[in-house]
Amino acid sequence: MDEIFSGLAHAIQLLVSADPALMEIVILSLQVSGIALALSAIAGVPIGAALGLSRLRARGLITALLYTGMGLPPVVVGLFVYLMLSRSGPFGSLAWLFTPNAMIVAQTIIAFPLVAGLTMAAVQGVDPALRVQVRSLGATRAQEIWAVLREARVGVIAAIVAAFGGVISEVGAVMLVGGNIEGKTRVLTTAIVLNTRTGDFALALALGIILLTLAFIANVAMLQLQGKE
Amino acid sequence: MRESAVYQIEKLKKEYSRRIVIDIEQLEIRAGEIFAIVGPSGAGKSSLLRLLNFLETPTAGQIFYRGQMQNGNAPLAVRREITTVFQRPVLLRGSVRENIAYGMHLRGERANGRVDELLATIGLQSLARASAVKLSGGEMQRVALARALVIEPRVLLLDEPTANLDPHNVALIEAIVREHNRARGTTIVLVTHNVFQAKRLAHRVGLMLGGRIVEVNDTAAFFDSPRDPRTAAFVRGEMVY
Ligand SMILES: Nc1ncnc2c1ncn2[C@@H]1O[C@H](COP(=O)(O)OP(=O)(O)OP(=O)(O)O)[C@@H](O)[C@H]1O
Ligand SMILES: [Mg+2]
């Protein structure tokens, strides 16, 4: 019990003093997950929206694939990216393994089905009558689609926030393809694993608090946006 | 074809999954008139309005709009002359004012005094900035009418526009409809369950049954000396469906 309290006190001290080693880890985490999120949103929002709007026969199959992708274990994604990027793998010549680039690739793959799948669900959730009524008011086809997307915007933001929560907190993939190298590929989650193992609970707790705070901020921001509706 | 016809319908058919929902031999809607369509639930009234707004393509037959044959792919300029107030209006997220201005926004026009005038006309000035999706059913219906009127359509299709309203607002909406028709010459097709409303507003009335137009007549004749026994029964409220 004492250990927890002294750990907590030390953690707060590290946070308040903006400890440089700590900050480095936080910044790398935000960079990796932020870039992965941006890439997955750039691809996932339009694809999810297109799927939500389309009446294709194959949509059922694509939906099943996306939903499976939403539940992909990060460690399996890590393994896959590892194999792709390892020296003998098809992309070995990039020499990305154990660099932040590899971590971005893995997290993009984890985030994409979340963004696309939840965007699709949000677009499908818009009342189909809305599209017809907007058309009746004189909308072009593009204006019609835009109106549907605007209606779905809260759901799209929720999709991006959910994906952020997913990648910032995953450990399996970044551990495998990044290697948790100090000053190079160490992020919040891998640092927590390491520091817990080595008994440095203060640093582990400080990192845990930051992780929770980031997730909390993202959700508060989303609720704020929802409240404005 | 008569110069005064806005719509000329010939042998129009619409099927949904092989079931015939609209089957109209011939029907004309004249420029500047209020044409009421009455008929029991499921007669095809809303389906006909969707065809008149060129939101769907007929299975067979033709619709001439102002002398030109059109279908579900009518050019934008034609579609923008026509709008519908739907039986179950769906408003957009955003304020009441934004919803009313929406048709202007679609046409690249700025919201202007017309929006405020309409807000006043429908008695919703105090809710101008309120969220449209939180309105009551009757308020939504009035906003739906205002957002249709703001674009000053040549043809206004009304699908049960007073279904959710109290007597005061029914009178208000009927006055607005009559005034728009009189002052601007807007052609109005009014679908209603309420035969008394048809009697109050329409110049001509058509009875629809099972996708067919049974009888079209001037309002007085429709009610006082109907040609078809089914019309007589419907007008007396004795129609069994
Ligand atoms: N999109 C559709 N797909 C399949 N069937 C449809 C569709 N739209 C309408 N129908 C069918 O067409 C028939 C006529 O429907 P419509 O909505 O035009 O009736 P209505 O006269 O407007 O009835 P109400 O007075 O209840 O509104 C109904 O049997 C309905 O089930
Ligand atoms: Mg109807």
Coordinates of all heavy atoms in Angstrom, one line a residue, chain B residues 119-197:
Chain B
L119 N -40.5 33.2 -40.8 CA -40.5 32.9 -39.3 C -41.6 33.5 -38.6 O -42.3 32.9 -37.8 CB -39.2 33.4 -38.7 CG -38.0 32.4 -38.6 CD1 -36.7 33.1 -38.3 CD2 -38.3 31.3 -37.6
A120 N -41.9 34.8 -39.0 CA -43.0 35.5 -38.4 C -44.3 34.9 -38.8 O -45.3 34.6 -38.0 CB -43.0 36.9 -38.7
T121 N -44.4 34.6 -40.1 CA -45.7 34.0 -40.7 C -46.1 32.7 -40.0 O -47.3 32.5 -39.7 CB -45.5 33.8 -42.2 OG1 -44.9 34.9 -42.8 CG2 -46.8 33.5 -42.9
I122 N -45.1 31.9 -39.8 CA -45.5 30.6 -39.1 C -45.5 30.7 -37.6 O -45.7 29.7 -36.9 CB -44.5 29.4 -39.6 CG1 -43.1 29.7 -39.2 CG2 -44.7 29.1 -41.1 CD1 -42.2 28.5 -39.4
G123 N -45.2 31.9 -37.1 CA -45.3 32.1 -35.6 C -44.2 31.5 -34.8 O -44.4 31.0 -33.7
L124 N -43.0 31.4 -35.4 CA -41.9 30.7 -34.7 C -40.7 31.6 -34.5 O -39.6 31.2 -34.3 CB -41.5 29.4 -35.4 CG -42.5 28.3 -35.3 CD1 -41.9 27.0 -36.0 CD2 -42.8 27.9 -33.9
Q125 N -40.9 33.0 -34.5 CA -39.8 33.9 -34.3 C -39.0 33.6 -33.1 O -37.8 33.6 -33.0 CB -40.3 35.3 -34.2 CG -40.6 36.0 -35.5 CD -41.8 37.0 -35.3 OE1 -42.8 36.6 -34.7 NE2 -41.6 38.2 -35.8
S126 N -39.8 33.3 -32.0 CA -39.1 33.1 -30.7 C -38.2 31.8 -30.7 O -37.4 31.7 -29.8 CB -40.1 33.0 -29.6 OG -41.0 31.9 -29.9
L127 N -38.4 30.9 -31.7 CA -37.6 29.7 -31.8 C -36.6 29.8 -32.9 O -35.9 28.8 -33.2 CB -38.5 28.5 -32.0 CG -39.4 28.1 -30.8 CD1 -40.4 27.0 -31.2 CD2 -38.6 27.7 -29.6
A128 N -36.3 31.0 -33.4 CA -35.4 31.1 -34.6 C -34.1 30.4 -34.3 O -33.5 29.8 -35.2 CB -35.2 32.6 -34.9
R129 N -33.6 30.6 -33.1 CA -32.2 30.0 -32.8 C -32.2 28.7 -32.1 O -31.2 28.1 -31.8 CB -31.4 31.0 -32.0 CG -31.3 32.4 -32.7 CD -30.9 33.5 -31.7 NE -29.6 33.3 -31.1 CZ -28.5 33.8 -31.7 NH1 -28.6 34.6 -32.8 NH2 -27.3 33.6 -31.2
A130 N -33.4 28.2 -31.9 CA -33.6 26.9 -31.2 C -33.1 25.7 -32.2 O -33.1 25.9 -33.4 CB -35.0 26.6 -30.8
S131 N -32.7 24.6 -31.6 CA -32.3 23.5 -32.4 C -33.6 22.8 -33.1 O -34.5 22.5 -32.4 CB -31.7 22.4 -31.5 OG -31.5 21.2 -32.2
A132 N -33.5 22.7 -34.4 CA -34.6 22.3 -35.1 C -35.1 20.8 -34.8 O -36.2 20.5 -34.8 CB -34.4 22.4 -36.6
V133 N -34.1 20.0 -34.5 CA -34.4 18.6 -34.3 C -35.1 18.3 -32.9 O -35.5 17.2 -32.7 CB -33.2 17.6 -34.4 CG1 -32.7 17.6 -35.9 CG2 -32.0 18.1 -33.5
K134 N -35.2 19.4 -32.1 CA -35.8 19.2 -30.8 C -37.3 19.8 -30.8 O -37.9 19.8 -29.8 CB -35.0 19.9 -29.7 CG -33.7 19.1 -29.5 CD -32.9 19.8 -28.4 CE -31.5 19.1 -28.3 NZ -30.5 20.1 -27.9
L135 N -37.7 20.2 -32.0 CA -39.1 20.8 -32.0 C -40.2 19.8 -31.9 O -39.9 18.6 -32.1 CB -39.2 21.5 -33.4 CG -38.3 22.7 -33.7 CD1 -38.6 23.3 -35.0 CD2 -38.5 23.8 -32.6
S136 N -41.3 20.2 -31.6 CA -42.5 19.3 -31.5 C -42.9 19.0 -33.0 O -42.5 19.7 -33.9 CB -43.7 20.0 -30.8 OG -44.2 21.0 -31.6
G137 N -43.7 18.0 -33.1 CA -44.2 17.6 -34.4 C -44.8 18.7 -35.2 O -44.5 18.9 -36.4
G138 N -45.7 19.4 -34.5 CA -46.4 20.5 -35.2 C -45.5 21.7 -35.6 O -45.6 22.3 -36.7
E139 N -44.5 21.9 -34.7 CA -43.5 23.0 -35.0 C -42.7 22.6 -36.2 O -42.4 23.4 -37.1 CB -42.6 23.3 -33.8 CG -43.4 24.0 -32.7 CD -42.7 23.9 -31.3 OE1 -41.7 23.1 -31.2 OE2 -43.1 24.6 -30.4
M140 N -42.3 21.3 -36.2 CA -41.5 20.8 -37.4 C -42.2 20.9 -38.7 O -41.7 21.3 -39.7 CB -41.1 19.3 -37.2 CG -40.0 19.1 -36.2 SD -39.4 17.4 -36.4 CE -38.3 17.3 -35.0
Q141 N -43.5 20.6 -38.6 CA -44.3 20.7 -39.8 C -44.4 22.2 -40.4 O -44.3 22.4 -41.6 CB -45.7 20.2 -39.6 CG -46.3 19.4 -40.7 CD -47.3 18.4 -40.3 OE1 -47.9 18.5 -39.2 NE2 -47.7 17.5 -41.2
R142 N -44.5 23.1 -39.4 CA -44.5 24.5 -39.9 C -43.2 24.9 -40.4 O -43.1 25.7 -41.4 CB -44.9 25.4 -38.7 CG -46.4 25.4 -38.4 CD -46.8 26.3 -37.3 NE -46.6 25.7 -36.0 CZ -46.5 26.4 -34.9 NH1 -46.6 27.7 -34.9 NH2 -46.3 25.8 -33.7
V143 N -42.1 24.5 -39.8 CA -40.7 24.8 -40.3 C -40.6 24.2 -41.7 O -40.0 24.8 -42.6 CB -39.6 24.3 -39.4 CG1 -38.3 24.5 -40.0 CG2 -39.7 25.0 -38.1
A144 N -41.1 23.0 -41.9 CA -41.0 22.3 -43.2 C -41.7 23.1 -44.3 O -41.3 23.2 -45.4 CB -41.5 20.9 -43.1
L145 N -42.9 23.7 -43.9 CA -43.6 24.5 -44.9 C -42.8 25.8 -45.2 O -42.7 26.2 -46.4 CB -45.0 24.9 -44.3 CG -45.8 25.8 -45.2 CD1 -46.2 25.1 -46.5 CD2 -47.1 26.3 -44.5
A146 N -42.2 26.4 -44.1 CA -41.5 27.6 -44.4 C -40.2 27.4 -45.2 O -39.9 28.2 -46.1 CB -41.1 28.2 -43.0
R147 N -39.6 26.3 -45.0 CA -38.3 26.0 -45.8 C -38.7 25.7 -47.2 O -37.9 25.8 -48.1 CB -37.5 24.9 -45.2 CG -38.0 23.5 -45.4 CD -37.0 22.4 -44.9 NE -37.6 21.1 -45.1 CZ -37.1 20.0 -44.7 NH1 -35.9 20.0 -44.1 NH2 -37.7 18.9 -44.8
A148 N -39.9 25.3 -47.5 CA -40.4 25.1 -48.9 C -40.7 26.4 -49.5 O -40.4 26.7 -50.7 CB -41.6 24.1 -48.9
L149 N -41.4 27.3 -48.7 CA -41.9 28.5 -49.3 C -40.7 29.5 -49.6 O -40.8 30.3 -50.5 CB -42.9 29.2 -48.4 CG -44.2 28.4 -48.2 CD1 -45.1 29.2 -47.1 CD2 -45.0 28.3 -49.5
V150 N -39.6 29.4 -48.8 CA -38.6 30.3 -49.0 C -37.9 30.3 -50.4 O -37.4 31.3 -50.8 CB -37.5 30.0 -47.9 CG1 -36.5 28.9 -48.3 CG2 -36.7 31.3 -47.6
I151 N -38.0 29.2 -51.0 CA -37.4 29.1 -52.4 C -38.4 29.5 -53.5 O -38.1 29.5 -54.6 CB -36.9 27.7 -52.7 CG1 -38.0 26.6 -52.6 CG2 -35.8 27.3 -51.8 CD1 -37.5 25.2 -52.7
E152 N -39.6 30.0 -53.0 CA -40.6 30.5 -54.0 C -40.8 29.6 -55.1 O -40.6 29.9 -56.3 CB -40.3 31.9 -54.4 CG -40.1 32.8 -53.2 CD -40.0 34.3 -53.5 OE1 -39.2 34.6 -54.5 OE2 -40.6 35.1 -52.8
P153 N -41.3 28.3 -54.8 CA -41.4 27.3 -55.9 C -42.5 27.7 -56.9 O -43.5 28.4 -56.5 CB -41.7 26.1 -55.1 CG -42.4 26.5 -53.9 CD -41.8 27.8 -53.6
R154 N -42.4 27.2 -58.1 CA -43.5 27.4 -59.0 C -44.6 26.3 -58.7 O -45.8 26.6 -58.8 CB -43.0 27.1 -60.4 CG -44.0 27.3 -61.5 CD -43.4 26.9 -62.9 NE -42.4 27.7 -63.3 CZ -42.6 28.8 -64.1 NH1 -43.8 29.2 -64.4 NH2 -41.6 29.6 -64.5
V155 N -44.2 25.2 -58.2 CA -45.1 24.1 -57.8 C -44.8 23.7 -56.4 O -43.7 23.3 -56.1 CB -45.0 22.9 -58.8 CG1 -45.9 21.7 -58.3 CG2 -45.3 23.2 -60.2
L156 N -45.8 23.7 -55.6 CA -45.7 23.2 -54.2 C -46.5 22.0 -53.9 O -47.7 22.0 -54.2 CB -46.1 24.4 -53.3 CG -46.0 24.2 -51.8 CD1 -44.6 23.9 -51.3 CD2 -46.6 25.4 -51.0
L157 N -45.8 20.9 -53.5 CA -46.5 19.7 -53.3 C -46.7 19.5 -51.8 O -45.6 19.5 -51.1 CB -45.7 18.5 -53.9 CG -45.4 18.7 -55.4 CD1 -44.4 17.6 -55.8 CD2 -46.6 18.7 -56.2
L158 N -47.9 19.4 -51.3 CA -48.1 19.3 -49.8 C -48.7 18.0 -49.5 O -49.7 17.6 -50.0 CB -49.1 20.4 -49.4 CG -48.7 21.9 -49.7 CD1 -49.8 22.8 -49.4 CD2 -47.4 22.2 -48.9
D159 N -48.0 17.2 -48.6 CA -48.4 15.9 -48.2 C -48.9 16.0 -46.8 O -48.1 16.0 -45.8 CB -47.3 14.9 -48.4 CG -47.8 13.5 -48.4 OD1 -49.0 13.2 -48.1 OD2 -47.1 12.5 -48.8
E160 N -50.2 16.1 -46.6 CA -50.8 16.2 -45.3 C -50.1 17.2 -44.4 O -49.7 17.0 -43.3 CB -50.7 14.8 -44.5 CG -51.4 13.7 -45.2 CD -52.9 13.7 -44.9 OE1 -53.4 14.5 -44.2 OE2 -53.6 12.8 -45.5
P161 N -50.2 18.5 -44.9 CA -49.4 19.5 -44.2 C -49.9 19.9 -42.8 O -49.2 20.6 -42.1 CB -49.4 20.7 -45.2 CG -50.7 20.5 -45.9 CD -50.9 19.0 -46.0
T162 N -51.1 19.5 -42.5 CA -51.7 19.9 -41.2 C -52.0 18.7 -40.3 O -52.7 18.9 -39.3 CB -53.0 20.8 -41.4 OG1 -53.9 20.0 -42.1 CG2 -52.7 22.0 -42.2
A163 N -51.4 17.6 -40.6 CA -51.8 16.4 -39.9 C -51.5 16.5 -38.4 O -52.2 15.9 -37.6 CB -51.0 15.2 -40.5
N164 N -50.4 17.2 -38.0 CA -50.0 17.2 -36.6 C -50.4 18.5 -35.9 O -49.9 18.8 -34.8 CB -48.5 17.1 -36.4 CG -48.0 15.7 -36.8 OD1 -48.7 14.7 -36.5 ND2 -46.9 15.7 -37.6
L165 N -51.3 19.3 -36.5 CA -51.5 20.6 -36.0 C -52.8 20.8 -35.2 O -53.8 20.1 -35.5 CB -51.4 21.6 -37.1 CG -50.1 21.7 -37.9 CD1 -50.2 22.7 -39.0 CD2 -49.0 22.1 -36.9
D166 N -52.8 21.7 -34.3 CA -54.1 22.1 -33.6 C -54.9 23.0 -34.5 O -54.4 23.5 -35.5 CB -53.7 22.8 -32.3 CG -52.9 24.0 -32.5 OD1 -53.3 25.0 -33.1 OD2 -51.7 24.0 -32.1
P167 N -56.2 23.2 -34.2 CA -57.1 23.9 -35.0 C -56.6 25.3 -35.4 O -56.7 25.8 -36.5 CB -58.4 24.0 -34.2 CG -58.3 22.8 -33.3 CD -56.9 22.6 -33.0
H168 N -56.0 26.0 -34.4 CA -55.5 27.3 -34.7 C -54.4 27.3 -35.8 O -54.4 28.1 -36.7 CB -54.8 27.9 -33.4 CG -54.0 29.2 -33.6 ND1 -54.6 30.4 -33.9 CD2 -52.7 29.4 -33.7 CE1 -53.7 31.3 -34.1 NE2 -52.5 30.7 -34.0
N169 N -53.5 26.3 -35.7 CA -52.4 26.2 -36.6 C -52.9 25.7 -38.0 O -52.3 26.0 -39.0 CB -51.2 25.4 -36.1 CG -50.3 26.3 -35.2 OD1 -49.8 27.3 -35.7 ND2 -50.2 25.9 -34.0
V170 N -53.9 24.9 -38.0 CA -54.5 24.4 -39.2 C -55.0 25.6 -40.0 O -54.7 25.8 -41.2 CB -55.7 23.4 -39.0 CG1 -56.4 23.1 -40.3 CG2 -55.1 22.1 -38.4
A171 N -55.7 26.5 -39.3 CA -56.3 27.7 -39.9 C -55.1 28.6 -40.5 O -55.2 29.1 -41.6 CB -57.1 28.5 -39.0
L172 N -54.1 28.7 -39.7 CA -52.9 29.5 -40.1 C -52.3 28.9 -41.4 O -52.0 29.7 -42.3 CB -51.9 29.5 -38.9 CG -50.6 30.2 -39.2 CD1 -50.8 31.7 -39.1 CD2 -49.5 29.8 -38.2
I173 N -52.0 27.6 -41.4 CA -51.4 27.0 -42.5 C -52.3 27.1 -43.8 O -51.8 27.5 -44.9 CB -51.1 25.5 -42.3 CG1 -50.1 25.4 -41.1 CG2 -50.6 24.8 -43.5 CD1 -48.8 26.0 -41.3
E174 N -53.6 26.9 -43.6 CA -54.5 27.0 -44.7 C -54.5 28.4 -45.3 O -54.5 28.6 -46.5 CB -55.9 26.6 -44.3 CG -56.0 25.1 -44.1 CD -57.4 24.6 -43.8 OE1 -58.3 25.5 -43.7 OE2 -57.6 23.4 -43.6
A175 N -54.4 29.4 -44.4 CA -54.3 30.8 -44.8 C -53.1 31.1 -45.6 O -53.1 31.8 -46.7 CB -54.4 31.8 -43.6
I176 N -51.9 30.6 -45.1 CA -50.7 30.8 -45.8 C -50.7 30.1 -47.2 O -50.3 30.7 -48.2 CB -49.5 30.2 -45.0 CG1 -49.3 30.9 -43.7 CG2 -48.2 30.2 -45.8 CD1 -48.3 30.2 -42.7
V177 N -51.2 28.9 -47.3 CA -51.3 28.2 -48.6 C -52.2 29.0 -49.5 O -51.8 29.2 -50.7 CB -51.9 26.8 -48.3 CG1 -52.2 26.1 -49.6 CG2 -50.8 25.9 -47.6
R178 N -53.3 29.4 -49.1 CA -54.3 30.1 -49.9 C -53.6 31.4 -50.4 O -53.7 31.7 -51.6 CB -55.5 30.4 -49.1 CG -56.7 30.8 -50.0 CD -58.0 31.1 -49.1 NE -58.6 29.9 -48.6 CZ -58.7 29.7 -47.3 NH1 -58.2 30.5 -46.4 NH2 -59.4 28.6 -46.9
E179 N -52.9 32.1 -49.5 CA -52.3 33.4 -49.9 C -51.2 33.2 -50.9 O -51.1 34.0 -51.9 CB -51.8 34.0 -48.6 CG -51.0 35.3 -48.8 CD -51.7 36.4 -49.5 OE1 -53.0 36.4 -49.5 OE2 -51.1 37.3 -50.0
H180 N -50.4 32.2 -50.7 CA -49.3 31.9 -51.7 C -49.9 31.6 -53.0 O -49.3 32.0 -54.1 CB -48.4 30.8 -51.2 CG -47.1 31.2 -50.7 ND1 -46.0 31.2 -51.5 CD2 -46.7 31.8 -49.6 CE1 -45.0 31.7 -50.9 NE2 -45.4 32.1 -49.7
N181 N -50.9 30.9 -53.1 CA -51.5 30.5 -54.3 C -52.1 31.8 -55.0 O -51.9 32.0 -56.2 CB -52.6 29.5 -54.1 CG -53.5 29.3 -55.3 OD1 -54.6 29.7 -55.4 ND2 -53.0 28.5 -56.3
R182 N -52.8 32.6 -54.2 CA -53.5 33.7 -54.8 C -52.5 34.8 -55.2 O -52.5 35.3 -56.3 CB -54.4 34.3 -53.7 CG -55.5 35.3 -54.2 CD -56.2 36.0 -53.1 NE -55.2 36.7 -52.2 CZ -54.6 37.9 -52.5 NH1 -54.8 38.4 -53.7 NH2 -53.7 38.4 -51.7
A183 N -51.5 35.1 -54.3 CA -50.6 36.3 -54.6 C -49.5 35.9 -55.6 O -49.1 36.8 -56.4 CB -50.0 36.8 -53.3
R184 N -49.0 34.7 -55.6 CA -47.9 34.3 -56.4 C -48.3 33.4 -57.5 O -47.4 33.1 -58.3 CB -46.8 33.6 -55.6 CG -46.2 34.5 -54.5 CD -45.2 33.8 -53.7 NE -45.0 34.5 -52.5 CZ -44.1 35.5 -52.4 NH1 -43.4 35.8 -53.4 NH2 -43.9 36.1 -51.3
G185 N -49.5 32.9 -57.5 CA -49.9 32.0 -58.5 C -49.2 30.6 -58.4 O -49.1 29.9 -59.4
T186 N -48.7 30.3 -57.2 CA -48.1 29.0 -57.0 C -49.1 27.9 -57.3 O -50.2 27.9 -56.8 CB -47.6 28.9 -55.6 OG1 -46.8 30.1 -55.3 CG2 -46.7 27.7 -55.4
T187 N -48.7 26.9 -58.1 CA -49.5 25.8 -58.3 C -49.3 24.8 -57.1 O -48.2 24.5 -56.7 CB -49.1 25.0 -59.6 OG1 -49.1 25.9 -60.7 CG2 -50.0 23.8 -59.8
I188 N -50.4 24.4 -56.5 CA -50.3 23.6 -55.3 C -51.1 22.3 -55.5 O -52.2 22.3 -55.9 CB -50.9 24.4 -54.1 CG1 -50.0 25.6 -53.8 CG2 -51.0 23.5 -52.9 CD1 -50.5 26.6 -52.8
V189 N -50.4 21.2 -55.2 CA -51.0 19.9 -55.1 C -51.1 19.5 -53.6 O -50.0 19.4 -53.0 CB -50.3 18.8 -55.9 CG1 -51.0 17.5 -55.8 CG2 -50.1 19.3 -57.4
L190 N -52.3 19.4 -53.1 CA -52.5 19.2 -51.7 C -53.1 17.8 -51.5 O -54.2 17.4 -51.9 CB -53.5 20.2 -51.2 CG -54.1 20.0 -49.8 CD1 -53.0 20.3 -48.7 CD2 -55.3 20.8 -49.6
V191 N -52.3 16.9 -50.8 CA -52.8 15.6 -50.4 C -53.3 15.7 -49.0 O -52.7 16.3 -48.1 CB -51.6 14.6 -50.4 CG1 -52.0 13.3 -49.7 CG2 -51.2 14.2 -51.9
T192 N -54.6 15.3 -48.8 CA -55.1 15.4 -47.5 C -56.1 14.2 -47.3 O -56.8 13.8 -48.2 CB -55.8 16.7 -47.3 OG1 -56.4 16.8 -46.0 CG2 -56.9 17.0 -48.3
H193 N -56.2 13.8 -46.0 CA -57.2 12.8 -45.6 C -58.5 13.5 -45.3 O -59.6 12.9 -45.2 CB -56.8 12.2 -44.3 CG -55.9 11.0 -44.4 ND1 -54.7 11.0 -43.8 CD2 -55.9 9.9 -45.2 CE1 -54.0 9.9 -44.1 NE2 -54.8 9.2 -45.0
N194 N -58.4 14.8 -45.1 CA -59.5 15.6 -44.6 C -60.3 16.2 -45.7 O -59.9 17.2 -46.4 CB -58.9 16.7 -43.7 CG -59.9 17.6 -43.0 OD1 -61.0 17.6 -43.5 ND2 -59.5 18.2 -41.9
V195 N -61.5 15.7 -46.0 CA -62.3 16.2 -47.1 C -62.7 17.6 -46.9 O -62.9 18.4 -47.9 CB -63.5 15.3 -47.4 CG1 -63.1 13.9 -48.0 CG2 -64.3 15.1 -46.1
F196 N -62.8 18.0 -45.6 CA -63.3 19.4 -45.4 C -62.2 20.4 -45.8 O -62.4 21.4 -46.3 CB -63.7 19.6 -43.9 CG -64.8 18.7 -43.5 CD1 -64.6 17.5 -42.7 CD2 -66.1 18.9 -44.0 CE1 -65.6 16.7 -42.4 CE2 -67.1 18.1 -43.7 CZ -66.9 16.9 -42.9
Q197 N -60.9 20.0 -45.5 CA -59.8 20.8 -45.9 C -59.8 20.9 -47.5 O -59.6 22.0 -48.0 CB -58.5 20.2 -45.4 CG -57.3 21.1 -45.8 CD -56.1 20.6 -45.0 OE1 -55.6 19.5 -45.1 NE2 -55.6 21.5 -44.2

